[in-house]
Amino acid sequence: MKLIINHLTKSFEEKIVLNDINFTFKQGKIYGLLGRNGSGKTTFFNCLDQDIPFDEGTFNLIKDNETNTLQLTDIGYVLSTPNVPEFLTAREFLKFFLDINEDKLKEKKTIDEYFDFIHIAEEDRDKLLKDYSYGMKNKMQMLVNIIANPNVLLLDEPLTSLDVVVAEEMKEMLKSIKKDHIIIFSTHIMELALSLCDEIVILNNGKLEEIDRKNLTDQAMKDKIIKALTEEK
Amino acid sequence: MFSCFLKSFKLKTTYRVNTFIYSVKQLPIIKSLLKNTLYSNKPLKVLGLIFSIILELIDTFLGKFLYVFLIIFSLASIYEGESSNSVFIHIFIFLTIAGSFMNTYMFNPTKDKYYAMFSLRMDAKLYTLTNYYYTILKVIVGFLPFTIIFGLMSHVPLIICLIIPFFVAATKIIVASYLLKQYEKKDQITDENHPLKGMWILTGILLALAFALPYFHLTIPLIPSLIFMIITIIFSLTRLSYLNNFNKYKEIYKIILTEGNMNLASYKTNNTNIQKKQIEKQINIKDNVTSNKHGYAYFNDLFVKRHSKILLSSAKKVTVFALIAIIVCIIIIKALPPLALEINNWLLVMLPYFVFIMYLINRGQVVSQAMFMNCDHSMLTYGFYREPKVILNLFRERLKSVIIINLLPATIIGLGLTLILFVSGGTDNILEYPLLFISIIAMSIFFSVHHLVMYYLLQPYNVNSEMKSSTYQVVNFLTYLACYWMIELQIPIFSFGLMTIIFSILYCLISLILIYKLAPKTFKLRV
Ligand SMILES: Nc1ncnc2c1ncn2[C@@H]1O[C@H](COP(=O)(O)OP(=O)(O)OP(=O)(O)O)[C@@H](O)[C@H]1O
Ligand SMILES: [Mg+2]
C-alpha cells in the first residue's frame, strides 16, 4: 500500500505554506515529520484530511495494485489538541462509535477490552469525558482512531502530553499496528522521532525532504536534521 | 494611574478596531477583497482611534440621555396631577438603587478586562480601579447635562439637578464596596449578568415602588430626597478607601471572567478552562441518566437528556406559562363579556402575530448552538463523524427530538387559541378551528426545521468556536425581521392559516431535500 501525494500546494493569502509537494509514503513504516513551528505540519495534515481547501494537488492510495483517490474513510487523524464529546462518558462514547461502525469493524472486542488496551482505569470508564485530563482525552481520541483501522493514520504531536509510561505504551502500540498501515507522525521531540520512526521527513520552506539515515549515529543524524531545518531558501 | 488608563484605553481601541476589521472581513463578498495585512494598516489605526473616542462619547452620553428622557422624564410626566418634580426625583432614586445592583461595571464580565488582566497580565487592582473611577466619572459627566435639562423641565430645583449625578455615582460605589465585602466574608461573587434570584426580587420591588407609589400619590418629598442623597454621597466617600485598599481584585476576576460569561462564539478559546466551565454549566449530570437506545438514537438521546436544562425544562416552562395565560384569558372572557367580543375580533385576524410568538418560543437556535458547542465542535474532528451516512442519520434523530420538544408548548398554544376562539364567540367558518390549531403546529415545526437546517447548511464555527461565516447570522437576523414584520399584518385566520400550512410543508420538503444533497459537504468545521 502506498500513499502518493502529487503537486500539493497550499497558501494562505500570499503566504505559501506547502509548495508543490510530491511524496510517496509506504505501508509498514512510521514516518516522523519534523518541522519548525509554523512550517506547515498541521496544515499538511489538514489538507490530507480534506479539512481545508488547497490550491492544487491530488492524493492517491495504491492498494492491492488498485489506484484510488484518498477517501475520508481511509484516514484517521489524531489532532494535537484532543477533542472529545464532553457530555458523554468514555464508555458511552465508545459504545456509540462501535454501534455505528458495527458492520465495518473486523475483530471486535468488548468495550472493557478496549479500555484495558489503552490502560484507562476501571473507575474512570464511566466518568464524563469533560472530567478527563488532557492526556486521558488524548488517549480516547487515539483509541477511536485506531479502532476504526484506517489505512493512513495521521498523528499531530500526539505523545507530547502523555506520561512516560503511557507514551512508551503508545509507541509499542504504534509499532505493533504499523505493518498494515501508513503512519505519519509529527513531533518536536527528536529523540522520539529517532527512536520510533523508520523514516525522518522534514518540512522546510514548503517542501518535504526525506533524510537518509543510513549508517548515521543518532548524534550525527540530529546534526543533520538541525542543519536541514535551518536551511534558508 | 494615568499611564495605566492610557494603556487600557489603547488596548480597548485596538480590540475594537480589530473586532471591526474582523467582522467586516467575514462578510461574504468583501472577504475576498481584504487581506490580513489590514490589521497593521496605519491610517486605519488612526481612524480606529477616532472611532473609539466617538464610541466612548456615545457610551457616555447617549445611554444616559435615553435613560433620563425615556424612562424617567416621559414616564414621570404621565402621572398627572402630581407635582412633577417630586415624581421625577422619586422615580430617579428608586431606579438608581435598582440599577446600582444590575449595572455595577465592576462585576460586568467583559473581554477587555480579560485581555488586560489575564492575557496581558496588567496589575489587576490598578487596572480595575483606574477604569472604575473613569467609569464613575463618565456616569457623573454623562448624567449632568440631562439631569439639568430634564430636571429643570420637570421643575426640579437646580441644586438637586446638580446633585443627582453624584448620587448615582455614590450608590454605585456603595454597592460595589458592599459586594466586595460580601466576597471577603463569604467567598461568594456573581457577575452582574447572572444575578442571584434575590436580586431579581429586590429589583422587582424597587421597580414597583418607583412606578406604583406615585400612582397612589405617594412620593418622597423634595427635602427628604435631598437629605437622603446627600447622606448617600457622604457615605460613599467613606467607602472609597475600602475600594482603594481592597486587594483581591484578581481573585474576583478569576471567578467572574472564567465563568464563561463572555460570549464564547467570538472568543478565542485557547483557554480550555473557560470553555470547560461554559460547557459544564449546560451539561447537567443527573446521575443515572442513561439510554437503552442504539447507535445514533443513543447518542442523540444522551445529548438531549444531559441538556434538559436548556431543552426540555425550558419547553416545559413555556408550556406552563402558556397554560396560565390561556386560563387567565378564558376567565377574563367569562367575567367581562364586553371584552370577549374584542378578543374574538382580534383573534380572527391576528394569526400572523403568532408567527412572531412561535419564533420567540422556539428553542431551535439555542439547541443548535448547544449542539455545536458541546458536541459537534469536538465530534467533527473525527473522520467517521463526517461521513455522509453518519451526518444524515444523526440529523434525522436530531430533527425528531427538536420537533418533539417544541411541539409540547405548540400543542398547548394551538389548543388554547382554538378554545379561546370558541368561548369568545366562535367563528362562522367551522373550518377555522382546525386551521388555527394546525397552523400553530405548522409554525412550530417550520421553525424547528428551519433552525436545524440552517445550522447544518451554514455551520459557521471553526474548531476554536470562532464564528467564521456571517451568512448564518445574516440568515438568523432576516428570520427575525420577517417574523417581526408579521406583527403588523392582519389577515383572517382562514387565508393566513392555509398559507402558513402550505408554506411550512413546502419549506420542510425543500429544505430536507437540500440537506440530503448538501449537508455532507457543508456540515464541517470551518477554517
Ligand atoms: N487559518 C489560517 N490563516 C492564515 N494563516 C494560517 C492559517 N492556518 C495556518 N496558517 C499559517 O500557516 C503556517 C503553517 O501553520 P501550521 O499550523 O501548519 O504550522 P505547524 O508546522 O503545525 O506549527 P507547530 O509546530 O507550531 O504546530 C503558519 O505560518 C501559519 O501562520
Ligand atoms: Mg501544528
Side-chain angles (χ1 to χ4, degrees), chain A residues 13-14 49 51-52 73 83-85 87-88 92-93 95-97 99-100 102 104 128 130 141, chain B residues 25 35-36 276 280 285 294-296 298-299 303 306 374-375 378-379 381-382 384 386-387 527:
Chain A
E13 293 177 1
E14 274 97 49
D49 198 38
D51 290 337
I52 56 175
T73 43
N83 283 296
V84 288
F87 68 98
L88 294 179
E92 290 162 349
F93 182 33
K95 173 174 154 43
F96 168 60
F97 178 77
D99 274 358
I100 66 170
E102 245 169 357
K104 265 188 251 162
L128 284 185
K130 78 184 174 62
Q141 192 190 208
Chain B
K25 263 180 68 96
K35 298 271 141 97
N36 271 335
K276 214 174 146 174
E280 250 164 60
I285 325 109
H294 185 82
Y296 306 101
Y298 175 74
F299 186 76
F303 180 85
R306 300 251 157 92
N374 290 353
C375 178
S378 43
M379 289 307 292
T381 60
Y382 294 85
F384 79 88
R386 280 173 291 162
E387 283 171 39
V527 279

Side-chain angles (χ1 to χ4, degrees), chain B residues 123-169:
Chain B
D123 179 346
K125 182 175 172 182
L126 189 62
Y127 174 84
T128 309
L129 286 179
T130 314
N131 282 287
Y132 187 64
Y133 290 137
Y134 173 62
T135 311
I136 293 292
L137 192 70
K138 279 206 309 196
V139 166
I140 296 172
V141 173
F143 266 123
L144 205 52
F146 307 117
T147 51
I148 293 177
I149 296 171
F150 294 112
L152 289 179
M153 283 167 76
S154 311
H155 311 290
V156 177
L158 185 63
I159 176 76
I160 296 187
C161 297
L162 292 176
I163 279 182
I164 289 177
F166 292 92
F167 168 69
V168 177

Side-chain angles (χ1 to χ4, degrees), chain B residues 201-221:
Chain B
I201 297 170
L202 182 71
T203 312
I205 294 173
L206 287 167
L207 282 180
L209 289 177
F211 293 109
L213 286 185
Y215 184 76
F216 299 106
H217 307 287
L218 293 168
T219 53
I220 312 175

Side-chain angles (χ1 to χ4, degrees), chain B residues 409-420:
Chain B
T411 315
I412 296 298
I413 292 175
L415 286 175
L417 284 180
T418 317
L419 192 65
I420 290 173

Side-chain angles (χ1 to χ4, degrees), chain B residues 24-140:
Chain B
V24 169
K25 263 180 68 96
Q26 298 311 310
L27 294 173
I29 299 163
I30 300 171
K31 188 162 53 182
S32 51
L33 301 176
L34 300 177
K35 298 271 141 97
N36 271 335
T37 45
L38 215 59
Y39 289 104
S40 49
N41 187 317
K42 267 270 156 53
L44 209 66
K45 294 268 143 156
V46 177
L47 213 65
L49 185 68
I50 298 171
F51 169 70
S52 191
I53 291 174
I54 294 176
L55 268 186
E56 206 62 28
L57 287 177
I58 293 178
D59 189 40
T60 309
F61 292 107
L62 187 65
K64 273 101 187 173
F65 163 72
L66 291 176
Y67 174 72
V68 177
F69 175 63
L70 289 179
I71 303 196
I72 313 238
F73 178 72
S74 325
L75 290 181
S77 54
I78 292 175
Y79 298 94
E80 282 165 36
E82 284 304 302
S83 50
S84 60
N85 55 13
S86 64
V87 177
F88 183 88
I89 299 170
H90 175 92
I91 295 181
F92 215 128
I93 288 179
F94 281 106
L95 288 191
T96 299
I97 298 173
S100 58
F101 280 97
M102 305 307 271
N103 196 356
T104 55
Y105 169 77
M106 194 176 272
F107 305 104
N108 191 7
T110 55
K111 286 178 212 166
D112 47 339
K113 285 180 187 161
Y114 182 84
Y115 290 135
M117 282 185 271
F118 294 109
S119 306
L120 296 176
R121 309 200 155 269
M122 287 169 77
D123 179 346
K125 182 175 172 182
L126 189 62
Y127 174 84
T128 309
L129 286 179
T130 314
N131 282 287
Y132 187 64
Y133 290 137
Y134 173 62
T135 311
I136 293 292
L137 192 70
K138 279 206 309 196
V139 166
I140 296 172

Side-chain angles (χ1 to χ4, degrees), chain B residues 345-480:
Chain B
N345 285 337
W346 183 81
L347 201 54
L348 281 173
V349 292
M350 281 314 265
L351 193 52
Y353 194 90
F354 284 92
V355 174
F356 188 63
I357 303 234
M358 295 312 287
Y359 167 81
L360 284 185
I361 64 169
N362 195 282
R363 304 295 295 164
Q365 213 173 332
V366 184
V367 175
S368 31
Q369 228 160 40
M371 279 173 182
F372 179 77
M373 294 295 173
N374 290 353
C375 178
D376 300 342
H377 162 255
S378 43
M379 289 307 292
L380 278 173
T381 60
Y382 294 85
F384 79 88
Y385 196 73
R386 280 173 291 162
E387 283 171 39
K389 187 189 78 188
V390 179
I391 290 181
L392 294 178
N393 275 319
L394 201 58
F395 175 82
R396 204 175 307 135
E397 289 299 327
R398 285 176 162 180
L399 189 62
K400 265 192 261 169
S401 37
V402 173
I403 289 180
I404 290 173
I405 288 170
N406 284 301
L407 270 184
L408 179 69
T411 315
I412 296 298
I413 292 175
L415 286 175
L417 284 180
T418 317
L419 192 65
I420 290 173
L421 181 64
F422 179 71
V423 295
S424 69
T427 160
D428 300 334
N429 190 345
I430 196 109
L431 271 180
E432 290 195 333
Y433 293 115
L435 265 177
L436 179 59
F437 177 72
I438 297 174
S439 57
I440 291 285
I441 299 290
M443 285 176 206
S444 166
I445 295 179
F446 162 74
F447 283 118
S448 303
V449 173
H450 175 68
H451 288 302
L452 200 64
V453 164
M454 284 306 137
Y455 170 55
Y456 267 72
L457 291 183
L458 302 173
Q459 201 299 100
Y461 302 102
N462 73 357
V463 71
N464 295 326
S465 310
E466 296 162 309
M467 196 58 98
K468 279 289 172 184
S469 144
S470 34
T471 324
Y472 183 68
Q473 284 154 301
V474 171
V475 168
N476 277 341
F477 182 65
L478 289 180
T479 311
Y480 173 81

